[in-house]
Each structure stands twice: as structure tokens, then as C-alpha cells.
């Protein structure tokens, strides 16, 4: 029996125990409770329908996507580097309970490459693209020490420092809603720093080593952690040697060496697999078994189902020169994830949902858990990766991520037991947040 008082779990007691006096009893006999999912690699606001565009980045669109995440049992999302200044106000409102849906965490404006990743054509216009190490350092300092006027102007103009440039005087992240700054603006201090390093199969220039070295070094001076978009084992080795904190994707071109895994563990790094990214890249060429299931279709943006089931789209995937590499990448990613997990490296769930129309908000996170099991984890291990481990990365493990006395009463009610079959995480009967029922699960698709 789960006893809830206000927004917190008061106690967990054995079935048949006396019901606290005055308590309202909700019968969930036969159901399974699971903590809400934490997506440590997502993107908000840029996707609408079948199009990715900076013009889609509005509060209404973000709010809609946060609610969809919530309907699918996702309680928090870390936006990896594609946010604008407005996101800091939305983050404050989210954590204050004024913005419904999944909680927002943000890397703010990420660091990309001039004429490289992330693609401007995908609406990812707000990122820094330093051409030199000096520019990179200045941009990190700006990211760590600026404020945004209340109301979220989005102008991106420097408003003056909100934290000391002396790193010894800075905390890892300024408190959300710091009353001492009322009227002065919102702290624009991200939860971590995101950078794109690789070349997307040779299609774009890579980030130069001296630039990502400067980003890592300066971010650490500012007491900020750094996550890297990575693909190649060689790049991962260089990044780990320089002290990167998070690999935001799996290594997918080769098996990670034992020495590199040992170094990742020694440095207390986090590894985010984004296995579903590689699965979605090719899955629609040969109608996957879940293609017409409501749990999948209800997660799609308008027009996407028609797009991915068209013969034109299927042929474009089959004819794409990258497809053989994508098909080869997933087995390598699965093997590497199991290897780092078994070594004791912290593995957190991430999906890159919202970065393209083919990675649906909410469904992608359940698909990711199924791929974790395919990689060799048990269902309960996969659920731990998707819940508790994510809160450790977000430094929120004292608030949510497990169901225990004193923790937030945030959980998903399931019709079936996922410890028997991980696909049972899809049997959502209800979602609870802060001790209240906020959703009955995915809503019917409406175009």
C-alpha cells in the first residue's frame, strides 16, 4: 500500500495494513506502479507535424509536447542544446508547478560547428558555433553567467552576470526561482553544456579538438558538466581523456575498448545510449510490428504516419547511402551499452525524441527500454536506467526517480507487470504527479 500525503510519498506499507485515519482509498488491485520515466536526451519545440523549424519554438508547442510526454509516463526531459532563452522561464514555471507536463531540464544553447552539426535546416539555429578556442571559452562564460529578462524576450542580448566568474563561488546550477533575484531576471544557468562533435558520416566538418577541449575546460571552470554528441570510438576516447562528463549517444562504429570503459568508470561518467535513434532510422522501411498499434500512432505528429508509410519514404530509406551504416550501428550500440553497464558506468535513458518527426515523444522512451532489454539488461534493470539513473544525472535523485517515503509521489499505474515483459510499460492506466492523477495515458490521435 502506498500512502500519499500532499505531493509526497508518506509511507509504503504491506498489503492488509491498517488504512491511516481519514485517508481516501484508491483501489489499484492487480496494477503495477512504476516511477515516472526520465528522458535525459530530448528536444522540445522545434517539431510540429512533419516539419522541423525554429518558427515552431513557441510556448504552446512546448506545452503540448510536455503534456504528451506526461501521457506516456515521462516525468522529466533534459533538452540537449536546442533551447532558447525562453526555456529558462519555462524551466522555472515547470519546477514551480505552473507549467503542466513533464519537468523541464535544459542545456540551454548548445555548441555546434560552423556549417556543421546540428543542422540549421532542422531549426537548430540558436546554438553557438565558435570558430576558435577563444570564441568557445567566451561563449561558455556567456552561457554560464547571463540572465534573461522576465517574460523571456528571446533576444539573446547579454544582461550582465548573475554568478561570479570565480568558479569557486559558483554552485553547479543556480537554484530555480531564487527569490533574491526577483525583478532582476531569471538565471540563465543550464543544467549542463551540450556540444556536437562528430561529422554525421562525413557529411559535415567535425568540431576541432582545440575547440571542444576549450569548451570542456571552461565549462568545468564554471562548475558546469559537459555532454557530447558522439558516434566514433576515437572521438569518445579523446573526449574522455579531456574530462567530458556525459556521452550523449552510444559509440556506434566500433566496440569500446576495455581501457576506455575503465576510464569512464574512474571518472564517474554517464553514458546515454539513444538506441532507439538508430532503430527508428531504418525501421519504417519494413513496417515494424508496432506500426499500427494505437500506443505508437497516438504519439505521432499529424501527417507523420502518412509520411512513414508512403512508398516514397520507404524507398528513400532503402536507397539512402547511410542506411547500411545505420543498420550496422545498432548491434554495435547494443553491445557497447551492455559493456559499459556491466562495468558499473552510470547508464541513463535518452532517445533524442523531438529531433526528427520519426522519433515520437513518449513512444520513443518505451521503445528505448525494450532495446535496453534487447541489449541484455533485465526488465527491472532497464526500468532503473529509465528512472532512478536519470535523476542521478539530473542531480534530482532526492526528489523523484524511486517510490520511497519522502520522495515525490510521481508514478505510472500499469495494467500489467513490466518485470515479466518490458513491453508491459505500455499498459498505462494512469499517470500521477505530485500526488495527483494527471493523465489516463496516451490520448487518441487527432489530426
Amino acid at each position: 500500500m502506498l500512502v500519499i500525503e500532499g505531493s509526497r510519498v508518506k509511507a509504503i506499507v504491506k498489503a492488509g495494513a491498517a488504512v491511516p485515519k481519514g485517508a481516501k482509498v484508491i483501489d489499484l488491485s492487480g496494477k503495477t506502479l512504476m516511477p515516472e520515466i526520465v528522458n535525459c536526451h530530448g528536444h522540445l519545440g522545434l517539431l510540429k507535424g512533419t516539419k522541423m523549424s525554429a518558427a515552431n519554438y513557441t510556448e504552446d508547442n512546448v506545452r503540448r509536447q510536455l503534456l504528451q510526454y506526461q501521457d506516456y509516463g515521462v516525468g522529466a526531459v533534459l533538452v540537449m542544446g536546442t533551447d532558447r532563452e525562453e526555456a529558462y522561464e519555462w524551466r522555472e514555471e515547470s519546477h514551480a508547478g505552473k507549467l503542466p507536463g513533464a519537468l523541464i531540464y535544459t542545456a540551454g544553447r548548445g555548441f555546434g560547428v560552423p556549417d556543421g552539426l546540428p543542422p540549421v535546416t532542422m531549426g537548430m539555429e540558436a546554438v553557438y558555433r565558435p570558430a576558435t578556442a577563444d570564441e568557445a571559452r567566451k561563449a561558455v562564460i556567456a552561457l554560464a553567467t547571463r540572465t534573461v529578462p522576465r517574460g523571456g524576450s528571446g533576444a539573446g542580448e547579454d544582461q550582465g552576470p548573475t554568478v561570479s566568474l570565480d568558479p569557486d563561488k559558483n554552485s553547479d546550477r543556480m537554484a530555480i526561482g531564487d527569490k533574491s533575484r526577483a525583478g532582476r531576471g531569471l538565471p540563465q544557468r543550464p543544467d549542463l553544456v551540450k556540444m556536437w562533435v562528430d561529422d554525421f558520416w562525413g557529411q559535415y566538418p567535425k568540431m576541432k579538438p582545440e575547440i571542444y577541449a576549450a569548451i570542456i575546460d571552461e565549462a568545468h571552470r564554471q562548475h558546469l558538466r559537459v555532454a557530447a554528441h558522439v558516434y566514433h570510438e576515437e572521438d569518445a576516447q579523446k573526449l574522455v581523456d579531456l574530462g567530458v562528463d556525459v556521452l550523449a549517444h552510444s559509440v556506434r562504429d566500433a566496440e569500446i575498448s576495455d581501457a576506455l570503459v575503465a576510464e569512464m568508470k574512474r571518472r564517474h561518467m554517464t553514458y546515454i545510449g539513444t538506441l532507439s535513434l538508430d532503430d527508428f532510422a531504418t525501421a519504417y522501411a519494413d513496417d515494424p510490428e508496432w506500426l499500427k498499434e494505437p500506443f505508437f500512432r497516438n504519439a505521432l505528429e499529424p501527417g507523420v504516419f502518412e509520411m512513414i508509410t508512403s512508398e516514397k519514404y520507404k524507398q528513400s530509406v532503402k536507397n539512402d547511402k547511410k542506411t547500411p551504416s545505420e543498420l550496422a550501428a545498432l548491434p554495435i550500440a547494443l553491445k557497447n551499452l551492455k559493456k559499459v553497464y556491466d562495468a558499473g558506468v552510470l547508464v541513463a535513458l535518452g532517445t533524442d525524441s523531438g529531433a526528427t518527426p520519426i522519433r515520437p515523444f513518449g513512444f520513443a522512451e518505451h521503445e528505448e527500454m525494450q532495446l535496453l532489454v534487447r541489449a541484455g539488461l533485465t526488465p527491472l534493470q532497464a526500468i532503473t536506467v529509465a528512472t532512478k539513473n536519470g535523476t542521478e544525472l539530473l542531480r534530482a535523485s532526492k526528489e523523484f526517480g524511486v517510490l520511497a517515503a519522502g520522495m515525490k509521489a510521481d508514478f505510472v499505474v500499469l495494467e500489467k507487470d513490466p518485470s515479466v515483459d518490458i513491453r508491459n510499460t505500455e499498459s498505462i492506466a494512469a499517470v500521477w504527479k505530485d500526488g495527483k492523477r494527471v493523465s489516463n495515458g496516451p490520448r487518441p490521435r487527432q489530426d
Side-chain angles (χ1 to χ4, degrees):
M1 181 167 60
L2 188 70
V3 181
I4 298 173
E5 185 173 67
S7 64
R8 301 276 171 171
V9 175
K10 184 175 182 180
I12 298 177
V13 297
K14 292 182 179 180
V19 176
K21 186 177 181 180
K24 178 182 178 181
V25 177
I26 299 174
D27 186 4
L28 297 177
S29 300
K31 305 291 195 299
T32 298
L33 302 188
M34 179 183 82
E36 283 190 308
I37 300 163
V38 178
N39 179 16
C40 291
H41 190 151
H43 299 276
L44 288 172
L46 299 177
L47 173 62
K48 191 172 185 180
T50 62
K51 305 296 183 183
M52 297 286 297
S53 172
N56 295 334
Y57 193 80
T58 65
E59 182 174 354
D60 285 345
N61 200 31
V62 168
R63 180 184 292 255
R64 178 179 64 85
Q65 292 167 359
L66 291 172
L67 286 170
Q68 178 163 321
Y69 269 133
Q70 179 174 268
D71 287 342
Y72 278 78
V74 179
V77 57
L78 171 58
V79 185
M80 277 288 199
T82 51
D83 270 332
R84 298 183 180 184
E85 275 75 4
E86 297 96 317
Y88 295 97
E89 183 171 5
W90 298 338
R91 182 180 68 180
E92 181 182 51
E93 293 174 351
S94 171
H95 287 254
K98 298 177 182 178
L99 184 65
L103 290 174
I104 297 175
Y105 290 81
T106 183
R109 294 173 62 187
F111 287 78
V113 180
D115 301 318
L117 292 180
V120 173
T121 55
M122 299 294 284
M124 301 176 184
E125 301 175 355
V127 301
Y128 296 102
R129 298 181 188 269
T132 67
D134 185 57
E135 287 181 11
R137 286 186 181 277
K138 290 178 179 178
V140 172
I141 293 171
L143 181 65
T145 62
R146 289 159 61 193
T147 58
V148 180
R150 289 187 178 270
S153 71
E157 294 182 359
D158 223 336
Q159 301 295 325
T162 63
V163 292
S164 170
L165 291 182
D166 178 355
D168 294 332
K169 296 180 181 179
N170 292 333
S171 61
D172 177 68
R173 177 163 69 83
M174 293 173 62
I176 296 170
D178 185 348
K179 293 181 180 179
S180 69
R181 302 191 182 281
R184 291 180 54 193
L186 299 171
Q188 187 191 350
R189 190 162 174 83
D191 295 286
L192 49 71
V193 174
K194 164 71 182 296
M195 61 183 184
W196 284 261
V197 171
D198 70 89
D199 58 4
F200 205 59
W201 296 289
Q203 294 185 82
Y204 297 101
K206 275 189 176 184
M207 181 176 282
K208 297 176 181 177
E210 63 267 26
I211 292 178
Y212 60 70
I215 292 170
I216 294 169
D217 181 65
E218 192 59 51
H220 288 171
R221 289 175 181 270
Q222 300 298 326
H223 286 213
L224 287 169
R225 295 167 294 160
V226 182
H229 177 112
V230 69
Y231 184 94
H232 300 286
E233 201 265 352
E234 180 183 7
D235 292 333
Q237 181 68 67
K238 293 176 181 177
L239 289 161
V240 171
D241 289 343
L242 288 167
V244 76
D245 303 281
V246 181
L247 293 182
H249 292 285
S250 289
V251 170
R252 288 160 280 171
D253 71 324
E255 181 180 350
I256 300 178
S257 69
D258 294 343
L260 178 54
V261 173
E263 185 64 10
M264 291 168 63
K265 182 180 180 181
R266 189 185 72 81
R267 291 178 178 270
H268 304 288
M269 288 182 59
T270 302
Y271 190 87
I272 302 175
T274 62
L275 303 170
S276 55
L277 177 156
D278 298 294
D279 193 26
F280 287 131
T282 61
Y284 306 115
D286 300 301
D287 297 345
E289 60 180 13
W290 36 260
L291 184 67
K292 295 185 179 180
E293 293 179 2
F295 193 80
F296 169 70
R297 291 198 62 179
N298 290 338
L300 295 175
E301 291 282 304
V304 174
F305 183 79
E306 292 74 17
M307 180 186 79
I308 61 177
T309 55
S310 69
E311 194 59 34
K312 179 181 178 181
Y313 182 85
K314 292 180 181 181
Q315 286 301 317
S316 71
V317 174
K318 292 175 182 178
N319 297 334
D320 193 327
K321 294 179 180 179
K322 299 189 302 296
T323 294
S325 297
E326 290 279 15
L327 289 169
L330 182 56
I332 297 171
L334 292 167
K335 185 174 183 178
N336 281 336
L337 186 134
K338 182 64 161 59
K339 186 170 185 175
V340 299
Y341 180 89
D342 287 346
V345 175
L346 181 68
V347 175
L349 180 142
T351 63
D352 221 353
S353 51
T356 74
I358 66 172
R359 304 172 199 154
F361 300 105
F363 177 84
E365 286 65 39
H366 292 266
E367 175 70 4
E368 188 74 18
M369 284 189 280
Q370 293 173 30
L371 289 167
L372 289 170
V373 171
R374 183 172 159 188
L377 276 63
T378 68
L380 286 178
Q381 287 172 338
I383 291 169
T384 301
V385 166
T387 56
K388 179 178 179 291
N389 289 11
T391 63
E392 290 184 18
L393 173 60
L394 298 178
R395 295 185 172 169
S397 60
K398 293 182 179 180
E399 289 292 306
F400 60 100
V402 298
L403 291 176
M407 303 293 280
K408 291 179 66 176
D410 297 350
F411 55 89
V412 187
V413 181
L414 302 173
E415 296 284 359
K416 302 176 183 178
D417 184 355
S419 69
V420 176
D421 184 340
I422 193 62
R423 292 174 296 181
N424 289 341
T425 64
E426 297 182 1
S427 64
I428 299 174
V431 180
W432 286 62
K433 178 181 179 181
D434 293 332
K436 298 179 181 178
R437 184 171 180 153
V438 292
S439 173
N440 295 322
R443 305 176 191 192
R445 179 172 177 258
Q446 295 180 354
D447 288 348

